[in-house]
Amino acid sequence: MATLETKSLTIGYAPRSAAPYVVAHNLNVSLAEGELICLLGPNGVGKSTLMRTLAGMHPPLGGHALLAGEDVGKMTVRARSRRVGVVLTDRVDAGHLDVRTLVGLGRHPYTDWIGRLRASDHARITWAIQAVGATELADRPVNELSDGERQKAMIARALAQDTDVILLDEPTAFLDLPRRVEIVTLLLRLAHETGKSILLSTHDLDLAVRNADRIWLMSESRIEVGVPESLVLNGAFGRVFERDGILFDQQAGAFTVAREHLTPIVLQATGLVGAWTTRALERIGFEVRPPATGEGTDARVVVEGDEHRPIWRLTRSRREDLFESLDSLLGCLSPGRSDPTSKKT
Amino acid sequence: MALPEPGPEPKLVSMQRPSSTGPFLALSVCVAALFCASLALGSVRIPLQEVATALFGGHVDSPAWAQIINQIRLPRAITAGLGGAALAVSGLQMQTLFRNPLAGPFVLGISAGASLGVALVVLSFGAGASTLIAGLSVAGGFGLTLAASLGAAAVLGLVLLISRHVEDNMTLLILGLMFGYASGAVVSVLIYFSASNAVQAYLIWTFGSFSGVTFSQLIVFAPTAAAGLFVAGLSIKSLNALLLGERYAQSMGLSVGYARIWILSSASLLAGVTTAFCGPVAFVGIAVPHLARSLFATSDHRILLPGTCLIGAALALFADLIARIPGSQVTLPLNAVTALIGAPIVVWIVLRRRNLRASFAS
């Protein structure tokens, strides 16, 4: 059953003195129990506006956002806070708070007038901290945490809020790659193990494709929904993200820079060494071809030896050179990048 | 890793946090001691025994002593304690609401409004009013209080009205600042065209003083300040939620609009009523919240707010005690004393603890 869905939702801004500015209209998407969905889309397409509208922080221009069948806009702030929690990009400067107190703030919707925590609240807080793997951080002051640790604490706070739905607006924006992987896999695990519905907006296409149960791909006019692989296969990523000179490589599931006037080169190699040799050659401006289609190509690289001690044999203009590392191979190839074959070796 | 739902309460050793009972106890003793000192010390030397006797309504050798204790020193000590607590709590609320370490009770122009009210009365009614005030008669004192109250209330009303239409706290802060400048300008013009004795009467009011409040005024001041502190107490949970910023606070179920009105109302009421009765007492409101954060090493308002209350009361009582220079006939301007003794204390604590910045890390 959908814990969150939108019905003909139109999002945007309605300034008092000007015509409403529609960011996206007629959105019909849903978020199921125990599902991690990544919201992807180019900058400025309205991901944050959608997130805020779903969280009830911003009024829709039309249609409805429903939390378990109930209209988000018609709920009280307090009732909403028991259904949907958020984690924002905002860096939190909470001052002298330890992680446990910060996570405890998530119990706000359930505590008495002064915010006193009962035993059940403490149990929930301990569970939330444990769930994000931050037990050893519990007594650390928030302002001494790294960005990644801080974001974990904020996720624990959202967990402590005990909502069915958690919305995260670019929570990994300031984090390095390992921390991003850590946070996204953590969210995936939380969704599957606790049954929470988690919607995560991100710019990290690769992480999203590898981890999300489904993807909401937002473009100027609409949202395309699907499992990551089908959005790759049907070319949706390409349509949404491709710009002048930036191409979506369906094979690799990543973006590449379009290069013109590529010099063909034949590469005969397999395995890890082959894959990275291909990347290296492409990076310096070659069009890498497999041996079978290499007829009439002047340059050819053959990798010999084993995986641990590979040797690159470069043949061009009837000359042969042996290289023991990619560095020296590229050093030989790249000085005349526009026409590598003309370079004397 | 399996994630069991929370079962029966496990043993939570880590939930034991450093106790804040110690500092609270010490501060309470400190406030009580300063309160007693405030009753016992003054320009007239009165034996301790007699002070106690006079307080509890016993027979005192000199009727003048009983008069001094009950009619002058007691209301003054109560005013200082309450006023200090009120300004400090008001400052704490403003600093948290605006997420700004330089915010204080007067940041929205409350004292500017009160000053304008007083200036209008003292300066525009000229010598007639100023003779009334120069004598510091009950009527004159009340006239100033009324003028200051009206001025503060006008600003308070304006702020609340604007806050309903202005979404952004930073805009509100800037509007408050501008209002302060504008009313300061009007006061300057009034001063420029006023007689020197009227100007002096106004200046003396701006120095601040806890001594002008009589018992008949205390009947108004004390309940109003207490009501303001009570409402401030009700805002503790909202203030904690606001530590994470407005957007997070809202997502955690706080009606940010309502919370803001409550916080602004109580903070402005506390600042306004104190300014009306004691003049624009500076420094306490900005410094004490920082002292409290340093002392208790927390941003949790459940601890900070009562702590701020106690430190504010203690600092104001101490400053008042110094200002009257016990044993002499001389008194110093209160504002000079709060800053002179307060600034070194703050500098010392901030340098020693080095954690002020952490409260408002950027």
Side-chain angles (χ1 to χ4, degrees):
Chain A
M1 168 188 159
T3 46
L4 173 71
E5 62 181 325
T6 66
K7 292 221 163 106
S8 323
L9 182 71
T10 301
I11 58 172
Y13 298 86
R16 262 173 243 162
S17 54
Y21 169 65
V22 175
V23 171
H25 66 95
N26 198 22
L27 303 177
N28 294 288
V29 286
S30 71
L31 187 56
E33 199 175 300
E35 187 178 41
L36 175 72
I37 287 192
C38 284
L39 173 60
L40 293 170
N43 276 333
V45 83
K47 297 192 293 294
S48 289
T49 310
L50 176 63
M51 282 285 196
R52 284 211 297 278
T53 310
L54 294 179
M57 294 171 154
H58 185 81
L61 290 182
H64 305 277
L66 306 172
L67 276 173
E70 210 176 324
D71 197 320
V72 171
K74 294 200 174 79
M75 297 166 86
T76 63
V77 181
R78 200 176 166 87
R80 203 189 297 134
S81 69
R82 296 178 180 214
R83 295 276 183 77
V84 53
V86 300
V87 176
L88 306 165
T89 320
D90 308 15
R91 209 185 129 99
V92 168
D93 302 319
H96 300 295
L97 286 183
D98 56 35
V99 169
R100 171 166 282 277
T101 313
L102 174 82
V103 175
L105 289 177
R107 298 303 294 168
H108 190 280
Y110 307 96
T111 53
D112 61 5
W113 65 275
I114 198 173
R116 203 179 341 219
L117 299 170
R118 291 162 300 154
S120 58
D121 295 316
H122 280 298
R124 190 84 212 176
I125 294 163
T126 307
W127 170 81
I129 293 175
Q130 195 188 330
V132 301
T135 310
E136 73 283 7
L137 302 177
D139 296 314
R140 293 262 305 277
V142 175
N143 53 37
E144 288 176 10
L145 301 182
S146 70
D147 286 339
E149 293 170 332
R150 194 182 299 235
Q151 214 50 296
K152 267 194 198 171
M154 293 312 288
I155 292 170
R157 187 205 55 84
L159 280 180
Q161 204 172 322
D162 208 5
T163 55
D164 295 335
V165 179
I166 298 180
L167 307 177
L168 302 99
D169 192 5
E170 294 188 34
T172 58
F174 298 127
L175 308 183
D176 60 20
L177 186 61
R179 236 54 57 193
R180 274 187 263 168
V181 174
E182 189 185 354
I183 294 284
V184 173
T185 49
L186 165 71
L187 291 171
L188 181 67
R189 189 166 55 77
L190 287 174
H192 292 177
E193 290 181 6
T194 66
K196 289 181 189 302
S197 311
I198 299 182
L199 175 63
L200 161 77
S201 81
T202 177
H203 282 294
D204 207 319
L205 188 92
D206 187 51
L207 261 180
V209 169
R210 282 176 202 280
N211 292 287
D213 292 316
R214 285 192 299 156
I215 282 180
W216 293 359
L217 184 60
M218 197 165 179
S219 55
E220 301 290 338
S221 51
R222 62 205 199 97
I223 294 185
E224 273 186 81
V225 181
V227 297
E229 295 77 11
S230 78
L231 291 179
V232 173
L233 284 178
N234 69 19
F237 280 123
R239 280 196 299 281
V240 171
F241 284 104
E242 273 181 8
R243 293 286 177 276
D244 295 336
I246 305 287
L247 302 172
F248 185 72
D249 181 345
Q250 279 174 300
Q251 195 70 45
F255 291 96
T256 53
V257 179
R259 291 178 199 274
E260 287 166 18
H261 313 300
L262 296 180
T263 313
I265 191 166
V266 171
L267 175 66
Q268 187 181 332
T270 53
L272 200 57
V273 179
W276 286 99
T277 306
T278 307
R279 295 234 335 217
L281 292 172
E282 283 176 348
R283 183 165 60 76
I284 63 170
F286 285 98
E287 185 200 336
V288 179
R289 295 178 179 176
T293 60
E295 290 304 315
T297 310
D298 183 44
R300 164 185 284 263
V301 174
V302 180
V303 178
E304 297 164 352
D306 60 39
E307 286 265 316
H308 305 290
R309 285 186 61 96
I311 292 171
W312 287 266
R313 181 189 297 275
L314 170 67
T315 317
R316 56 178 177 174
S317 310
R318 302 181 189 283
R319 257 199 76 151
E320 265 193 14
D321 291 292
L322 290 177
F323 300 95
E324 288 189 331
S325 73
L326 266 179
D327 303 62
S328 50
L329 174 69
L330 294 197
C332 172
L333 285 170
S334 63
R337 194 178 282 185
S338 58
D339 185 13
T341 49
S342 72
K343 178 83 176 107
K344 294 274 183 284
T345 50
Chain B
M1 185 177 90
L3 294 171
E5 286 291 303
E9 171 72 335
K11 272 202 168 169
L12 291 167
V13 184
S14 62
M15 83 185 230
Q16 293 295 331
R17 51 191 68 256
S19 167
S20 44
T21 325
F24 269 122
L25 211 64
L27 277 173
S28 304
V29 170
C30 191
V31 170
L34 283 165
F35 190 83
C36 294
S38 184
L39 293 175
L41 302 174
S43 54
V44 179
R45 199 179 298 266
I46 303 173
L48 274 180
Q49 182 101 33
E50 299 290 298
V51 173
T53 316
L55 268 184
F56 295 110
H59 175 74
V60 188
D61 292 347
S62 157
W65 286 358
Q67 185 86 5
I68 288 173
I69 302 288
N70 287 324
Q71 298 300 319
I72 297 177
R73 289 189 189 169
L74 185 59
R76 182 176 187 160
I78 295 175
T79 306
L82 262 180
L87 289 175
V89 167
S90 174
L92 174 68
Q93 288 184 298
M94 294 292 196
Q95 285 177 3
T96 300
L97 181 66
F98 292 114
R99 291 161 71 78
N100 189 326
L102 295 179
F106 304 137
V107 77
L108 293 180
I110 299 290
S111 76
S115 305
L116 185 59
V118 169
L120 278 173
V121 170
V122 177
L123 301 175
S124 59
F125 292 105
S130 70
T131 44
L132 209 63
I133 292 140
L136 265 180
S137 66
V138 174
F142 243 132
L144 278 191
T145 302
L146 198 65
S149 305
L150 287 178
V155 175
L156 165 60
L158 204 64
V159 165
L160 291 181
L161 198 69
I162 293 173
S163 75
R164 286 178 55 191
H165 299 287
V166 176
E167 294 262 314
D168 178 20
N169 274 340
M170 198 51 78
T171 313
L172 199 60
L173 202 57
I174 292 169
L175 288 177
L177 271 178
M178 290 307 116
F179 187 80
Y181 283 124
S183 46
V186 175
V187 171
S188 299
V189 171
L190 284 172
I191 286 179
Y192 187 72
F193 288 109
S194 295
S196 61
N197 58 346
V199 171
Q200 194 179 5
Y202 171 76
L203 270 182
I204 286 174
W205 177 82
T206 63
F207 290 154
S209 167
F210 294 125
S211 63
V213 180
T214 61
F215 254 119
S216 54
Q217 295 184 6
L218 204 54
I219 291 169
V220 181
F221 174 63
T224 316
L229 287 175
F230 179 73
V231 177
L234 295 181
S235 73
I236 285 177
K237 188 179 172 183
S238 310
L239 289 169
N240 274 345
L242 284 169
L243 282 175
L244 301 184
E246 287 193 27
R247 296 211 284 161
Y248 272 120
Q250 191 185 9
S251 84
M252 293 188 295
L254 183 75
S255 302
V256 174
Y258 284 119
R260 191 162 66 158
I261 287 181
W262 279 111
I263 292 167
L264 283 179
S265 301
S266 58
S268 305
L269 182 68
L270 288 169
V273 75
T274 309
T275 307
F277 285 89
C278 311
V281 178
F283 193 78
V284 176
I286 293 183
V288 171
H290 294 304
L291 294 181
R293 279 188 206 96
S294 274
L295 198 62
F296 292 98
T298 181
S299 292
D300 186 346
H301 290 79
R302 281 175 291 172
I303 292 166
L304 267 192
L305 198 122
T308 305
C309 237
L310 287 175
I311 299 176
L315 187 69
L317 280 165
F318 185 58
D320 182 52
L321 207 57
I322 300 292
R324 61 173 108 149
I325 314 181
S328 80
Q329 298 294 327
V330 188
T331 58
L332 293 174
L334 180 63
N335 270 335
V337 178
T338 51
L340 275 180
I341 61 165
I345 295 178
V346 170
V347 168
W348 176 64
I349 288 189
V350 165
L351 289 182
R352 199 170 61 96
R353 308 289 290 241
R354 290 179 190 281
N355 55 7
L356 171 69
R357 191 177 159 69
S359 306
F360 292 94
S362 53

Tab-separated table of all heavy atoms in Angstrom, chain A residues 39-60:
chain	number	residue	atom	x	y	z
A	39	LEU	N	15.069	10.465	-5.890
A	39	LEU	CA	14.531	11.500	-6.768
A	39	LEU	C	15.708	12.163	-7.474
A	39	LEU	O	16.572	12.755	-6.824
A	39	LEU	CB	13.748	12.520	-5.929
A	39	LEU	CG	13.247	13.775	-6.632
A	39	LEU	CD1	12.304	13.425	-7.760
A	39	LEU	CD2	12.555	14.686	-5.640
A	40	LEU	N	15.741	11.999	-8.793
A	40	LEU	CA	16.849	12.553	-9.568
A	40	LEU	C	16.318	13.605	-10.531
A	40	LEU	O	15.156	13.568	-10.928
A	40	LEU	CB	17.526	11.456	-10.378
A	40	LEU	CG	18.271	10.358	-9.624
A	40	LEU	CD1	18.652	9.250	-10.594
A	40	LEU	CD2	19.506	10.921	-8.963
A	41	GLY	N	17.171	14.505	-10.912
A	41	GLY	CA	16.769	15.506	-11.895
A	41	GLY	C	17.805	16.602	-11.949
A	41	GLY	O	18.561	16.793	-10.996
A	42	PRO	N	17.856	17.326	-13.063
A	42	PRO	CA	18.836	18.411	-13.181
A	42	PRO	C	18.573	19.502	-12.141
A	42	PRO	O	17.482	19.586	-11.585
A	42	PRO	CB	18.598	18.954	-14.595
A	42	PRO	CG	17.754	17.952	-15.284
A	42	PRO	CD	17.022	17.197	-14.260
A	43	ASN	N	19.573	20.324	-11.916
A	43	ASN	CA	19.410	21.464	-11.002
A	43	ASN	C	18.262	22.350	-11.430
A	43	ASN	O	18.069	22.592	-12.619
A	43	ASN	CB	20.682	22.309	-11.000
A	43	ASN	CG	21.712	21.744	-10.050
A	43	ASN	OD1	21.355	21.088	-9.080
A	43	ASN	ND2	22.965	22.001	-10.342
A	44	GLY	N	17.508	22.845	-10.464
A	44	GLY	CA	16.484	23.836	-10.769
A	44	GLY	C	15.217	23.263	-11.340
A	44	GLY	O	14.331	24.004	-11.764
A	45	VAL	N	15.091	21.936	-11.363
A	45	VAL	CA	13.916	21.340	-11.962
A	45	VAL	C	12.766	21.277	-10.954
A	45	VAL	O	11.615	21.063	-11.320
A	45	VAL	CB	14.273	19.959	-12.534
A	45	VAL	CG1	14.241	18.901	-11.443
A	45	VAL	CG2	13.348	19.592	-13.666
A	46	GLY	N	13.086	21.485	-9.684
A	46	GLY	CA	12.024	21.550	-8.677
A	46	GLY	C	12.003	20.398	-7.695
A	46	GLY	O	10.980	20.129	-7.077
A	47	LYS	N	13.163	19.734	-7.532
A	47	LYS	CA	13.199	18.601	-6.586
A	47	LYS	C	12.910	19.061	-5.161
A	47	LYS	O	12.111	18.448	-4.450
A	47	LYS	CB	14.568	17.914	-6.633
A	47	LYS	CG	14.908	17.300	-7.966
A	47	LYS	CD	16.116	16.393	-7.866
A	47	LYS	CE	17.397	17.142	-7.545
A	47	LYS	NZ	17.823	18.050	-8.633
A	48	SER	N	13.561	20.158	-4.765
A	48	SER	CA	13.360	20.647	-3.396
A	48	SER	C	11.932	21.125	-3.187
A	48	SER	O	11.349	20.917	-2.123
A	48	SER	CB	14.338	21.779	-3.086
A	48	SER	OG	15.640	21.263	-2.975
A	49	THR	N	11.361	21.780	-4.204
A	49	THR	CA	9.980	22.240	-4.096
A	49	THR	C	9.044	21.044	-3.906
A	49	THR	O	8.143	21.073	-3.072
A	49	THR	CB	9.573	23.020	-5.356
A	49	THR	OG1	10.571	23.996	-5.622
A	49	THR	CG2	8.237	23.694	-5.170
A	50	LEU	N	9.304	19.985	-4.682
A	50	LEU	CA	8.482	18.778	-4.543
A	50	LEU	C	8.624	18.201	-3.144
A	50	LEU	O	7.628	17.874	-2.480
A	50	LEU	CB	8.903	17.739	-5.591
A	50	LEU	CG	8.183	16.391	-5.482
A	50	LEU	CD1	6.689	16.549	-5.709
A	50	LEU	CD2	8.756	15.384	-6.474
A	51	MET	N	9.875	18.116	-2.664
A	51	MET	CA	10.127	17.577	-1.324
A	51	MET	C	9.380	18.378	-0.268
A	51	MET	O	8.722	17.823	0.607
A	51	MET	CB	11.628	17.668	-1.016
A	51	MET	CG	12.449	16.606	-1.671
A	51	MET	SD	12.202	15.066	-0.802
A	51	MET	CE	13.548	14.085	-1.379
A	52	ARG	N	9.490	19.697	-0.367
A	52	ARG	CA	8.845	20.550	0.635
A	52	ARG	C	7.330	20.437	0.555
A	52	ARG	O	6.649	20.464	1.570
A	52	ARG	CB	9.286	21.999	0.439
A	52	ARG	CG	10.690	22.264	0.946
A	52	ARG	CD	10.832	23.693	1.437
A	52	ARG	NE	10.620	24.662	0.371
A	52	ARG	CZ	11.568	25.008	-0.500
A	52	ARG	NH1	12.759	24.477	-0.404
A	52	ARG	NH2	11.320	25.887	-1.430
A	53	THR	N	6.808	20.291	-0.671
A	53	THR	CA	5.363	20.144	-0.815
A	53	THR	C	4.908	18.824	-0.198
A	53	THR	O	3.893	18.779	0.507
A	53	THR	CB	4.962	20.201	-2.302
A	53	THR	OG1	5.577	21.353	-2.893
A	53	THR	CG2	3.459	20.297	-2.456
A	54	LEU	N	5.675	17.759	-0.440
A	54	LEU	CA	5.304	16.462	0.122
A	54	LEU	C	5.366	16.490	1.647
A	54	LEU	O	4.588	15.838	2.323
A	54	LEU	CB	6.228	15.361	-0.418
A	54	LEU	CG	6.128	15.059	-1.908
A	54	LEU	CD1	7.106	13.971	-2.291
A	54	LEU	CD2	4.702	14.658	-2.274
A	55	ALA	N	6.321	17.274	2.189
A	55	ALA	CA	6.468	17.345	3.641
A	55	ALA	C	5.469	18.316	4.266
A	55	ALA	O	5.447	18.480	5.480
A	55	ALA	CB	7.894	17.760	3.999
A	56	GLY	N	4.664	18.956	3.428
A	56	GLY	CA	3.676	19.887	3.966
A	56	GLY	C	4.263	21.228	4.373
A	56	GLY	O	3.621	22.017	5.048
A	57	MET	N	5.522	21.498	3.956
A	57	MET	CA	6.146	22.761	4.330
A	57	MET	C	5.850	23.850	3.310
A	57	MET	O	6.202	24.999	3.508
A	57	MET	CB	7.660	22.589	4.408
A	57	MET	CG	8.114	21.683	5.510
A	57	MET	SD	9.856	21.354	5.315
A	57	MET	CE	10.291	21.014	7.006
A	58	HIS	N	5.245	23.429	2.207
A	58	HIS	CA	4.989	24.369	1.125
A	58	HIS	C	3.647	23.981	0.513
A	58	HIS	O	3.410	22.810	0.241
A	58	HIS	CB	6.118	24.245	0.085
A	58	HIS	CG	6.032	25.236	-1.015
A	58	HIS	ND1	6.477	26.525	-0.888
A	58	HIS	CD2	5.509	25.136	-2.252
A	58	HIS	CE1	6.248	27.169	-2.014
A	58	HIS	NE2	5.654	26.353	-2.850
A	59	PRO	N	2.739	24.935	0.315
A	59	PRO	CA	1.420	24.569	-0.193
A	59	PRO	C	1.453	24.220	-1.676
A	59	PRO	O	2.177	24.867	-2.436
A	59	PRO	CB	0.600	25.844	0.043
A	59	PRO	CG	1.597	26.943	0.071
A	59	PRO	CD	2.875	26.369	0.591
A	60	PRO	N	0.706	23.196	-2.094
A	60	PRO	CA	0.646	22.864	-3.509
A	60	PRO	C	-0.207	23.890	-4.255
A	60	PRO	O	-1.038	24.565	-3.644
A	60	PRO	CB	-0.022	21.494	-3.533
A	60	PRO	CG	-0.796	21.420	-2.267
A	60	PRO	CD	-0.109	22.299	-1.275
